[in-house]
Amino acid sequence: EIVMTQSPATLSVSPGERATLSCRASQSVGSYLAWYQQKPGQAPRLLIYGASTRAAGIPARFSGSGSGTEFTLTISSLQSEDFAVYYCQQYTNWPPMYTFGQGTKLEIK
Amino acid sequence: QVQVVESGGGVVQPGRSLRLSCAASGFTFSSYGMHWVRQAPGKGLEWVAHIWYDGSGQFYADSVKGRFTISRDNSQNTLYLQMSGLRVDDTAVYYCARDQLSYFDFWGQGTLVTVSS
């Protein structure tokens, strides 16, 4: 089973600054990597898929990069609504398996 | 617009059964695979089960294999999760999510299942 490890567990950043979140896979997942945002009491929302493609309606300040085992989610200029928990997720094609990282909590500094 | 709405959660004793439902609208349900993903209180996300668009393939996380069954009724635009042999550690919010092969693009608001004596 592929293990996804996110770092840091908590990231404190001031509004307007850049945030960089990391996700590492225990073995290569190619570009089968997605990022989700979750706010308290809400369902997760898809941000990025295919490691770097923004989902519909996601602001351009969100960007994803990486392939293989190392991935990054960057939020270029933090807005108040961006403070949330972020999860990465990988996909294995056969048998289909999906694994999430443990999450990074992005909090206001 | 795309919408998925879960129902059927509640409090159940260990060892008992429960069936969750997910009503879909705003898209051609029979063209999409679907998933159940859960989140224990204060914890992260865990994929539970996946079913192909036509119901011919079902896949499960090891933690629920043999106890949970995913199914669908395309005539009713509804996804199901039959849970049996429930354990305390099955306590979670259960989300229904639409499949896009390698990721989940639309999620419901979830239904809470509490397993407790």
Side-chain angles (χ1 to χ4, degrees), chain A residues 20-61:
Chain A
T20 302
L21 289 67
S22 296
C23 176
R24 174 176 293 178
S26 60
Q27 58 187 277
S28 178
V29 300
S31 293
Y32 288 130
L33 193 286
W35 290 94
Y36 303 85
Q37 176 194 68
Q38 187 178 34
K39 297 180 180 178
Q42 296 185 16
R45 177 175 72 144
L46 175 68
L47 298 175
I48 301 286
Y49 63 92
S52 61
T53 303
R54 273 190 307 277
I58 301 303
R61 64 180 181 274

Side-chain angles (χ1 to χ4, degrees), chain B residues 9-18 41 67 83 85-92 94 112-117:
Chain B
V11 180
V12 61
Q13 293 178 326
R16 304 299 290 262
S17 299
L18 197 65
R67 299 187 301 121
M83 304 184 293
L86 281 162
R87 309 189 298 222
V88 172
D89 62 358
D90 292 319
T91 295
Y94 285 74
L112 176 62
V113 174
T114 302
V115 184
S116 173
S117 54

Side-chain angles (χ1 to χ4, degrees), chain A:
Chain A
E1 177 185 332
I2 297 177
V3 177
M4 307 302 290
T5 303
Q6 292 185 240
S7 61
T10 303
L11 182 61
S12 299
V13 183
S14 300
E17 294 189 338
R18 173 187 296 254
T20 302
L21 289 67
S22 296
C23 176
R24 174 176 293 178
S26 60
Q27 58 187 277
S28 178
V29 300
S31 293
Y32 288 130
L33 193 286
W35 290 94
Y36 303 85
Q37 176 194 68
Q38 187 178 34
K39 297 180 180 178
Q42 296 185 16
R45 177 175 72 144
L46 175 68
L47 298 175
I48 301 286
Y49 63 92
S52 61
T53 303
R54 273 190 307 277
I58 301 303
R61 64 180 181 274
F62 290 90
S63 63
S65 63
S67 66
T69 62
E70 299 284 344
F71 300 89
T72 301
L73 174 70
T74 301
I75 311 170
S76 60
S77 178
L78 279 164
Q79 307 297 303
S80 58
E81 62 266 29
D82 300 334
F83 292 96
V85 179
Y86 292 82
Y87 294 95
C88 62
Q89 170 254 317
Q90 70 84 25
Y91 160 75
T92 306
N93 66 349
W94 194 261
M97 291 287 292
Y98 307 80
T99 311
F100 292 89
Q102 80 279 19
T104 290
K105 181 180 181 180
L106 181 57
E107 64 177 27
I108 300 174
K109 185 174 183 180

